[in-house]
Amino acid sequence: MFLSLSVFGFSQEYSKEIETQFRDYTQMIMNKNFEQALNEYANEDFLKIVPKEQMLQTMNEVFNSKEMEFKTYEPQNIVVINNVLEAKNKTYIQLNYDQRIDMKFNSKEIPKEQLLAALQREFGSDKVKFNDATKFYEIQSHKNAIASSVDLKKWKFTVLEKNQFQLLAQFLPKELLVGLN
């Protein structure tokens, strides 16, 4: 009982700061300030595996591609989960959020129906629609992320993606990945 109360108190105390920093991080990405986002908010253990220069190149390729237009919107419904994990000299807290993503593929090689079906398999059939007016696929994604900190002041973020389980398992505690693979 005491443990759950102290965990609840801990999470309530820090959840607003985690949310504020997470919003700052996502805003930097939306504004294409990738280097600043990585410098301030990327998990250092992740950057030991995937060097910052490689991440910058990937982010620039995705957000500035000629083959595809990619837009992200401000996250909504951010919920900081009350479960706190202390491991590897860090504090880890999970957060869930919704985020709209718009994608427009400039290649005519793959039919619209095929792309729509593939995106619906990935995100859910009720989460993806094609906007005929803008030619964008509009995706309502539900995501999970991990906030980690060594000092409970500065938080670093890792978005959990099922297709990256092997990579995530190299630097995040296994307890945080249950249900992901």
Side-chain angles (χ1 to χ4, degrees):
M1 176 87 154
F2 175 72
L3 178 62
S4 64
L5 288 175
S6 65
V7 166
F8 180 74
F10 174 90
S11 181
Q12 290 298 314
E13 183 179 341
Y14 294 99
S15 64
K16 200 65 175 158
E17 188 58 34
I18 292 168
E19 181 179 340
T20 298
Q21 289 183 36
F22 185 70
R23 285 188 184 283
D24 189 42
Y25 168 62
T26 58
Q27 190 66 48
M28 287 177 190
I29 292 172
M30 288 168 35
N31 293 335
K32 300 182 181 181
N33 296 330
F34 305 131
E35 188 163 9
Q36 184 181 6
L38 292 174
N39 286 340
E40 292 187 32
Y41 294 112
N43 183 305
E44 302 90 348
D45 296 326
F46 169 75
L47 293 176
K48 289 176 186 172
I49 300 166
V50 180
K52 183 173 82 169
E53 294 73 26
Q54 183 180 338
M55 272 306 297
L56 283 171
Q57 181 180 350
T58 300
M59 293 170 92
N60 276 306
E61 287 172 3
V62 168
F63 279 83
N64 299 310
S65 172
K66 289 179 178 29
E67 293 85 32
M68 175 182 74
E69 291 179 53
F70 188 84
K71 299 178 191 175
T72 59
Y73 294 83
E74 190 171 322
Q76 303 294 315
N77 307 316
I78 298 172
V79 177
V80 178
I81 306 299
N82 289 336
N83 296 337
V84 176
L85 176 66
E86 302 274 343
K88 300 182 180 185
N89 297 318
K90 291 184 183 178
T91 301
Y92 296 89
I93 299 177
Q94 182 178 339
L95 53 137
N96 302 330
Y97 63 100
D98 298 320
Q99 187 170 35
R100 180 172 157 193
I101 303 166
D102 289 356
M103 299 171 79
K104 180 178 184 180
F105 297 90
N106 297 323
S107 170
K108 305 290 185 215
E109 294 176 24
I110 302 173
K112 174 180 82 171
E113 296 75 20
Q114 260 187 319
L115 282 170
L116 181 61
L119 290 169
Q120 287 176 333
R121 277 192 303 278
E122 175 73 21
F123 295 98
S125 60
D126 61 330
K127 304 287 185 191
V128 182
K129 53 185 181 180
F130 182 75
N131 184 322
D132 282 311
T134 64
K135 305 298 184 213
F136 274 90
Y137 294 87
E138 297 172 349
I139 303 163
Q140 301 297 331
S141 67
H142 180 75
K143 297 187 171 251
N144 302 311
I146 299 297
S148 59
S149 179
V150 294
D151 63 4
L152 305 179
K153 293 177 185 158
K154 184 68 179 155
W155 294 90
K156 306 292 183 166
F157 301 99
T158 305
V159 176
L160 302 180
E161 300 284 355
K162 286 183 184 182
N163 62 351
Q164 295 186 351
F165 178 83
Q166 296 298 327
L167 174 65
L168 297 169
Q170 293 179 53
F171 67 94
L172 288 175
K174 307 289 186 258
E175 300 91 326
L176 299 171
L177 304 175
V178 173
L180 192 61
N181 61 350

